[in-house]
Amino acid sequence: EAAVTQSPRSKVAVTGGKVTLSCHQTNNHDYMYWYRQDTGHGLRLIHYSYVADSTEKGDIPDGYKASRPSQENFSLILELASLSQTAVYFCASSENRGGDTQYFGPGTRLLVL
Amino acid sequence: GEQVEQRPPHLSVREGDSAVITCTYTDPNSYYFFWYKQEPGASLQLLMKVFSSTEINEGQGFTVLLNKKDKRLSLNLTAAHPGDSAAYFCAVSAGTQVVGQLTFGSGTRLQVYA
């Protein structure tokens, strides 16, 4: 049974619109992450969180907000979607910091037109 | 910050041949290393997690080598088969980094043909 789920799995958005991507984990992990993957590239960290009601910026936070209302849920918000935000977005969770393995969700394919 | 370079970006091998993917990293404090496999349209699946204290790690049909002196990590798929066709990513976690932040390589697209 999938431990990290994401919704929606794909989305088409218009430039300037608001987009919310959701992530839910049943791993009972404290840490959650949002990454983006561009075609032919690796993953880059956008935001992460290690406790409910708190989020931290990753390497590429500009244009994104995050929300962690509970241990299980972590959302990524694009207030004003832009063409450059077309990508696949992955959520992940890990038990702790440092070298703990991160477990990834199935990804959300976002196309901004 | 940490930089990870992964080579080659594309690799095509015949079934039964070996395939070698290499990552070099910059932070000498890096301690945890990961290899993920991503099949087309799918998420990342962990292949192996390597600690800096172990140089050779063997999995099911593959070997991971870590050379801390050269800051190099390699994945060697022995006797590749079509089911190995996928994208492979290395990821590095440094002890000096905040949280469990991973720095990913850009990936290697492996094609195994019969």
Side-chain angles (χ1 to χ4, degrees), chain A residues 31 37 48 59 98-99 102 105, chain B residues 32 36 38 43 49 99-101:
Chain A
Y31 290 78
Q37 182 181 39
Y48 62 92
D59 294 329
Q102 293 184 20
Chain B
Y32 300 98
Y36 284 91
Q38 185 182 31
S43 187
K49 173 182 176 180
V99 194
Q101 184 167 334

Side-chain angles (χ1 to χ4, degrees), chain A:
Chain A
E1 186 173 338
V4 181
T5 55
Q6 294 181 230
S7 63
R9 293 295 311 279
S10 66
K11 184 172 180 64
V12 179
V14 295
T15 304
K18 182 177 181 178
V19 177
T20 300
L21 307 182
S22 299
C23 178
H24 179 80
Q25 56 105 354
T26 58
N27 294 324
N28 199 34
H29 287 166
D30 286 332
Y31 290 78
M32 297 186 74
Y33 313 82
W34 276 107
Y35 293 90
R36 68 175 278 173
Q37 182 181 39
D38 296 282
T39 302
H41 292 83
L43 279 68
R44 291 181 292 170
L45 182 66
I46 306 170
H47 284 287
Y48 62 92
S49 169
Y50 52 86
V51 67
D53 296 322
S54 177
T55 64
E56 305 292 335
K57 294 180 179 179
D59 294 329
I60 53 166
D62 292 346
Y64 302 94
K65 291 184 179 179
S67 173
R68 183 92 181 268
S70 64
Q71 186 195 39
E72 298 81 15
N73 296 293
F74 192 35
S75 297
L76 185 68
I77 303 146
L78 290 67
E79 294 279 2
L80 295 170
S82 67
L83 296 175
S84 64
Q85 293 177 312
T86 293
V88 179
Y89 292 85
F90 288 99
C91 176
S93 73
S94 70
E95 184 172 359
N96 210 325
R97 57 189 291 166
D100 282 344
T101 300
Q102 293 184 20
Y103 296 91
F104 287 82
T108 295
R109 189 172 297 274
L110 175 65
L111 175 61
V112 182
L113 300 175

Side-chain angles (χ1 to χ4, degrees), chain B residues 67-87:
Chain B
N67 183 326
K68 290 189 66 181
K69 176 177 175 293
D70 294 340
K71 295 195 285 296
R72 180 180 293 117
L73 178 73
S74 64
L75 171 67
N76 185 344
L77 288 88
T78 54
H81 56 86
D84 291 330
S85 296

